[in-house]
Amino acid sequence: MNILPESLRLRMVVSHMAAISLTVAAVGVTLLVLGVSGTSLVVAVAATAAVGALGSVGASFLMVRSIAGPVHNVAEGARRLARGDLDHRVRSSSMRETRELNDAFNEMAVTLRDLVHGLDSERSLLAVVMETMADGVIVLDSDNRIRLINRAAQWLLDADIHSARGSTLAEIVRDHELLELASGSAAAGRIQRAEIELLHQRRFLHAIATPISAGPSRGVLLTLQDVTRLRQVQNTRREFVSNVSHELRTPLASVNAMVETLDGGAIYDTEVARDFLSRIHDDIGRMTTMVDELLELSSLESGQMPIHLAPVELSRVANKVTERFETNAASRGVKLLSLVPDDLPYLMADAGKLDQILTNLVENALKFTPQGGCVSLSARTVEAGIEIQVADTGVGVPREHLPHIFERFYKVDRSRRNVGTGLGLAITRRLVQAHGGNIKVSSVEGEGSVFTFNLSRAS
Ligand code: ADP
């Protein structure tokens, strides 16, 4: 196979012809100068020309061979580069012209390799960023097919990792708002945003659709941000404000009504006036308690309430609490027992806060246990530390309410307006959590409840 380009070969033939002609002319001139003529001159010229031509063709042949080898190497090298062998280099040649060619090829190969490696590492970095970012990213082509989808988007949309790529958006998303956002942005050619609630996944997403174009191809870039937590916080705050307003409005309205009645003349009826004043006093007391508990809960939730952990003997704290409620229990006809063993290991706790936890639980237990019932306080050593229980044989908590009773303002029987603020258990749970523990409840309606929490041992 002749791999020299046509123009190069032509140039070489022309230069060989010129060399032959020059040789012939030179021999002719020499013979003329020497005075040789006739047939012998023709023969001599022809012989000389033949010898010159043969020499010239031989030289050309050698030259072609010395060029063809390196050029062939370069061509083979180019093929290997094309196949991805970016470290391939051609051997340097001894001829100046082909050496330049080889060197240029090798320089190009180095540049190409660096370029490809640079692109590779940029692409890997981009892939890592896409896969680890918390926001979902989807790139759709003009047919609404998914060209690219990252892990976060698959997770947010509950999409199957294998089938998502290549599917249409409608095949993996049921939410019409999100579909409309993508198609609307493509049609309008501008960025569109929406807050979307995915009912199946129970998630709120902030979605942004941006039209994109790469050369002639068009598409949409969809970014999805999970705002579920933010929404929950907003909802909780809204509920909280509405709960506080509600809880305060009721006693305030009652106080207002009583003051108006007193003002309207009831103040002159000593008995009625005394009764009203006592009720006003109770309502104000309830509101004060609520405000105090709210402040306490708020400082617990913001982590601002200091907890001073130290070794604590549970039986001493438990006895103190039961003693405090002795009269209360007796007046209700409820038996109150402290069954905490004296030899229980010390626990790591803030004694004051532990007292508050037990007080809240015992107070509730007494409140919801009818006459003849029993409230007991017990503890035992478990693998995770010390498990403490406050059990009662009271009214119990209906099953559907159980998951909510540690929520702020939650009361099973809302009509029992005078019985507590609904903040006690929320505070109790926060206090237990501040010790690094957990609290749970088990209850059977009509049979009683058991509140169990655990704290760490001191050693
Ligand atoms: P409250 O100040 O109203 O007692 P809590 O947060 O302490 O508020 O309790 C929330 C609700 O949980 C109570 O209103 C009551 O319905 C229920 N509850 C709490 N402890 C008990 C218990 N030992 N037995 C039955 N119900 C209980």
Side-chain angles (χ1 to χ4, degrees):
M1 189 182 69
N2 199 343
I3 51 166
L4 282 178
E6 197 65 29
S7 59
L8 185 56
R9 270 189 285 143
L10 211 65
R11 246 189 286 151
M12 289 173 74
V13 170
V14 169
S15 67
H16 298 153
M17 296 291 288
I20 293 167
S21 316
L22 274 174
T23 312
V24 171
V27 171
V29 169
T30 312
L31 289 174
L32 276 175
V33 170
L34 292 174
V36 180
S37 63
T39 317
S40 56
L41 177 66
V42 172
V43 171
V45 169
T48 312
V51 170
L54 271 175
S56 188
V57 166
S60 305
F61 177 71
L62 286 175
M63 194 170 168
V64 166
R65 273 201 57 175
S66 63
I67 289 176
V71 169
H72 174 76
N73 285 345
V74 169
E76 180 52 28
R79 274 187 218 104
R80 288 182 66 167
L81 281 187
R83 285 198 297 269
D85 182 3
L86 297 178
D87 291 321
H88 178 70
R89 303 286 176 271
V90 291
R91 245 183 302 119
S92 193
S93 114
S94 51
M95 273 185 74
R96 192 173 56 83
E97 293 80 359
T98 51
R99 190 167 54 240
E100 264 180 34
L101 181 64
N102 289 349
D103 292 349
F105 175 89
N106 286 342
E107 268 172 41
M108 179 199 71
V110 169
T111 312
L112 195 66
R113 186 198 56 197
D114 292 350
L115 205 67
V116 169
H117 284 175
L119 283 174
D120 268 356
S121 67
E122 297 242 321
R123 203 174 46 184
S124 322
L125 180 69
L126 205 64
V128 169
V129 170
M130 286 284 280
E131 284 312 290
T132 48
M133 66 192 287
D135 290 350
V137 175
I138 300 176
V139 176
L140 301 170
D141 64 16
S142 50
D143 297 329
N144 242 358
R145 284 197 181 277
I146 296 171
R147 286 278 306 275
L148 189 151
I149 178 165
N150 73 346
R151 205 188 303 237
Q154 284 164 348
W155 182 78
L156 288 171
L157 300 172
D158 267 351
D160 176 18
I161 190 158
H162 301 296
S163 62
R165 213 157 286 162
S167 320
T168 61
L169 187 61
E171 281 165 342
I172 64 156
V173 175
R174 265 162 276 168
D175 187 88
H176 70 96
E177 267 186 277
L178 192 59
L179 296 172
E180 277 169 18
L181 183 79
S183 56
S185 158
R190 61 186 158 78
I191 297 180
Q192 295 195 351
R193 298 159 200 271
E195 193 115 313
I196 287 162
E197 182 181 4
L198 297 177
L199 290 172
H200 287 280
Q201 291 87 340
R202 302 169 89 188
R203 243 176 232 134
F204 289 96
L205 298 182
H206 180 68
I208 305 175
T210 312
I212 48 172
S213 57
S217 51
R218 314 221 160 276
V220 170
L221 167 71
L222 210 55
T223 53
L224 309 169
Q225 195 185 7
D226 189 356
V227 290
T228 315
R229 183 88 195 91
L230 192 72
R231 268 294 187 100
Q232 279 168 350
V233 170
Q234 285 169 347
N235 285 348
T236 311
R237 193 177 304 152
R238 212 172 297 133
E239 267 172 37
F240 176 73
V241 171
S242 115
N243 276 331
V244 173
S245 329
H246 174 80
E247 296 294 327
L248 288 177
R249 198 183 299 128
T250 318
L252 275 175
S254 152
V255 168
N256 196 35
M258 286 186 276
V259 169
E260 276 177 8
T261 314
L262 287 172
D263 193 36
I267 196 162
Y268 301 110
D269 183 336
T270 322
E271 208 172 314
V272 173
R274 276 194 187 289
D275 179 40
F276 275 22
L277 283 176
S278 148
R279 287 210 252 159
I280 288 171
H281 186 259
D282 286 352
D283 277 334
I284 290 174
R286 215 169 12 259
M287 285 189 280
T288 310
T289 307
M290 188 190 294
V291 171
D292 288 346
E293 287 185 349
L294 277 173
L295 286 174
E296 186 176 7
L297 190 59
S298 146
S299 75
L300 268 170
E301 286 181 345
S302 63
Q304 281 167 0
M305 184 175 284
I307 297 279
H308 304 292
L309 295 179
V312 173
E313 195 178 354
L314 179 65
S315 56
R316 281 169 61 105
V317 182
N319 289 339
K320 243 169 60 187
V321 173
T322 46
E323 272 166 29
R324 205 179 305 137
F325 282 100
E326 237 166 38
T327 332
N328 182 324
S331 70
R332 290 167 182 266
V334 175
K335 207 188 282 174
L336 178 58
L337 305 169
S338 172
L339 307 173
V340 178
D342 288 334
D343 58 351
L344 197 76
Y346 277 35
L347 30 91
M348 276 310 268
D350 181 317
K353 305 277 184 279
L354 178 60
D355 186 306
Q356 196 180 347
I357 294 169
L358 294 177
T359 300
N360 286 353
L361 294 176
V362 170
E363 192 173 19
N364 273 351
L366 286 172
K367 205 157 57 180
F368 295 103
T369 301
Q371 199 176 12
C374 178
V375 171
S376 66
L377 221 157
S378 61
R380 64 186 179 118
T381 311
V382 290
E383 207 186 324
I386 310 278
E387 187 184 83
I388 304 158
Q389 285 193 334
V390 176
D392 66 64
T393 57
V395 296
V397 181
R399 186 199 289 263
E400 67 274 21
H401 293 281
L402 276 176
H404 306 289
I405 63 167
F406 291 102
E407 290 169 12
R408 284 179 287 195
F409 296 112
Y410 199 86
K411 292 186 202 171
V412 173
D413 183 358
R414 299 209 68 85
S415 63
R416 295 164 65 131
R417 166 173 105 73
N418 292 337
V419 189
T421 56
L423 291 170
L425 284 181
I427 292 175
T428 305
R429 180 168 65 170
R430 284 287 175 182
L431 285 170
V432 172
Q433 287 171 343
H435 281 82
N438 260 319
I439 185 163
K440 57 185 186 194
V441 59
S442 64
S443 186
V444 177
E445 198 177 357
E447 290 186 17
S449 313
V450 182
F451 286 82
T452 310
F453 64 101
N454 62 297
L455 297 179
S456 308
R457 290 168 58 152
S459 53

